[in-house]
Amino acid sequence: MKEKLQKIREEALAKIQASDNLEKLNEIRVAYLGKKGELTSVLKGMKNVSPEERPKVGQMVNEVRALIENAMEETKKALAAKAREEQLKREVIDVTLPAKKNNVGHRHPNTIALEEVERIFIGMGYEVIEGPEVEYDLYNFEKLNIPANHPAKDEQDTFYINDKIVLRTQTSSVQVRVMEQGKLPIRMIAPGRVFRSDEVDATHSPSFHQIEGLVIDKNITFADLKGTLAEFAKELFGEETKVKFRPHHFPFTEPSAEVDVTCFKCGGKGCRFCKGSGWIEILGCGMVHPHVLEMCGIDPNEYSGFAFGVGLERIALLKYEIDDMRLLYENDTRFLKQF
């Protein structure tokens, strides 16, 4: 028994010393110290040893076990340290490299401009109302005083789904829906996407955004419209901004006008930005046509009102001095991250 234990000790230590990785070391542990290992089989054979010899043999088995376990633990530490050293050599980290930046998105220029316009009008007591982009011809044209034979209904200018449904060409349809409800007075703006059959260029797109406003109440006059838009222009472009109204024609307002503001680059003196005129056109407006009020169930003899509409992209282009509308939709981060 003594010779067998001596042989087990020498073989185990030799194999432990020769092992070059942790996997082999584990195989040696199983082969000698496992349930079916060499030392375990010796312990199972203790029943065949005489009672006088059992204490000595048991002590020898424990000594061999302790010797093998200690050798394995030392070898395991050495192999682990060696593996760690090799890993560090393979996975070199250059601590002088700059950290990766976390690119966080932000609001689009259109969104920034829209929120500023909404803030101005909410401050004046207006509500922000939204409506459907796919609209009935009735709301998009008929009830805005644009009958079936009107040039504005030319299919070249509008995306028709069928003869009764279109992609809305203006957010005025939202104004009609609100007027129909009969809850007066009305002070609202209607921002949203609109669609027209336009060629894509620096100032046009088949899909863009409008912000239309509407006020309906008793004794509303053109002076109220002028004062409202003058205050809006000052809040948006600066306190020194002035407005100019030019006669125009819109089917749903009478009288109608287009509004210019003094160039905020040169203060009205004339520059490249305003093409030397000192003025920049920003929106169209007018007093709500009496026939439009009648079609929406409002008595034009008792109530009057004004409406206005401005392109959201136009505000963004002017405010941020962008010369091409297409830049807003090309998703070029070099452009967008400026805002």
Side-chain angles (χ1 to χ4, degrees), residues 34-166:
K35 290 182 179 180
K36 297 180 180 180
E38 296 285 344
L39 275 178
T40 306
S41 63
V42 171
L43 287 173
K44 288 179 179 178
M46 290 284 285
K47 60 185 178 181
N48 300 323
V49 179
S50 63
E52 296 80 13
E53 293 293 322
R54 281 180 188 174
K56 293 181 181 179
V57 174
Q59 183 179 359
M60 290 176 64
V61 170
N62 290 334
E63 288 176 355
V64 172
R65 177 184 289 277
L67 191 65
I68 293 173
E69 286 178 345
N70 289 337
M72 290 190 68
E73 186 63 28
E74 289 178 5
T75 304
K76 182 179 179 181
K77 289 180 180 179
L79 290 174
K82 184 179 179 181
R84 180 64 174 167
E85 186 179 350
E86 291 177 356
Q87 182 184 12
L88 290 173
K89 287 180 180 179
R90 291 194 310 270
E91 301 175 5
V92 176
I93 300 174
D94 188 349
V95 296
T96 65
L97 287 173
K100 291 182 179 180
K101 291 183 179 180
N102 184 20
N103 292 320
V104 179
H106 58 79
R107 294 173 301 165
H108 190 275
N110 272 358
T111 304
I112 298 171
L114 175 59
E115 289 178 354
E116 186 167 359
V117 173
E118 288 181 347
R119 176 187 59 80
I120 294 169
F121 281 105
I122 289 173
M124 295 183 190
Y126 285 59
E127 288 184 273
V128 179
I129 308 292
E130 294 183 350
E133 294 180 0
V134 181
E135 187 57 277
Y136 288 107
D137 179 278
L138 177 68
Y139 291 112
N140 196 76
F141 291 120
E142 294 290 335
K143 289 202 172 187
L144 288 169
N145 208 28
I146 305 174
N149 59 351
H150 198 283
K153 297 190 70 172
D154 190 327
E155 289 190 29
Q156 297 302 312
D157 297 329
T158 309
F159 293 103
Y160 281 86
I161 293 176
N162 56 43
D163 60 344
K164 293 183 180 180
I165 300 176
V166 299

Side-chain angles (χ1 to χ4, degrees), residues 116-337:
E116 186 167 359
V117 173
E118 288 181 347
R119 176 187 59 80
I120 294 169
F121 281 105
I122 289 173
M124 295 183 190
Y126 285 59
E127 288 184 273
V128 179
I129 308 292
E130 294 183 350
E133 294 180 0
V134 181
E135 187 57 277
Y136 288 107
D137 179 278
L138 177 68
Y139 291 112
N140 196 76
F141 291 120
E142 294 290 335
K143 289 202 172 187
L144 288 169
N145 208 28
I146 305 174
N149 59 351
H150 198 283
K153 297 190 70 172
D154 190 327
E155 289 190 29
Q156 297 302 312
D157 297 329
T158 309
F159 293 103
Y160 281 86
I161 293 176
N162 56 43
D163 60 344
K164 293 183 180 180
I165 300 176
V166 299
L167 297 184
R168 69 181 180 188
T169 61
Q170 54 208 359
T171 54
S172 301
S173 57
V174 183
Q175 299 173 354
V176 175
R177 287 177 173 272
V178 173
M179 283 191 286
E180 271 192 342
Q181 296 173 7
K183 297 178 182 179
L184 302 173
I186 298 170
R187 286 175 177 81
M188 58 162 283
I189 58 170
R193 188 187 301 272
V194 297
F195 307 86
R196 295 182 188 177
S197 186
D198 287 334
E199 294 290 337
V200 176
D201 59 30
T203 56
H204 295 86
S205 171
S207 176
F208 57 100
H209 297 79
Q210 271 192 343
I211 307 170
E212 301 219 13
L214 175 70
V215 171
I216 303 291
D217 204 347
K218 294 180 179 180
N219 303 315
I220 297 295
T221 68
F222 203 96
D224 298 310
L225 170 59
K226 184 175 180 180
T228 298
L229 295 181
E231 183 64 24
F232 165 65
K234 289 179 181 179
E235 286 284 337
L236 189 64
F237 298 115
E239 191 62 33
E240 303 301 319
T241 304
K242 297 178 181 179
V243 295
K244 179 174 69 174
F245 289 75
R246 291 180 287 105
H248 196 68
H249 169 72
F250 297 111
F252 37 86
T253 55
E254 182 61 39
S256 305
E258 286 193 334
V259 180
D260 301 336
V261 297
T262 48
C263 178
F264 42 86
K265 288 289 287 182
C266 64
K269 297 177 182 178
C271 65
R272 181 188 62 82
F273 195 72
C274 61
K275 299 178 181 178
S277 68
W279 297 90
I280 298 174
E281 179 187 331
I282 60 164
L283 57 83
C285 65
M287 301 300 294
V288 179
H289 199 293
H291 187 46
V292 172
L293 293 176
E294 287 177 346
M295 286 189 290
C296 294
I298 299 173
D299 185 356
N301 296 317
E302 186 178 358
Y303 289 93
S304 58
F306 63 77
F308 57 87
V310 57
L312 177 60
E313 283 81 1
R314 181 159 185 77
I315 290 178
L317 293 178
L318 292 174
K319 191 167 182 63
Y320 301 116
E321 300 181 31
I322 303 168
D323 57 8
D324 194 326
M325 181 177 174
R326 290 169 291 192
L327 290 169
L328 295 172
Y329 300 111
E330 290 176 346
N331 295 325
D332 189 332
T333 56
R334 294 171 299 177
F335 168 76
L336 295 175
K337 69 183 179 182

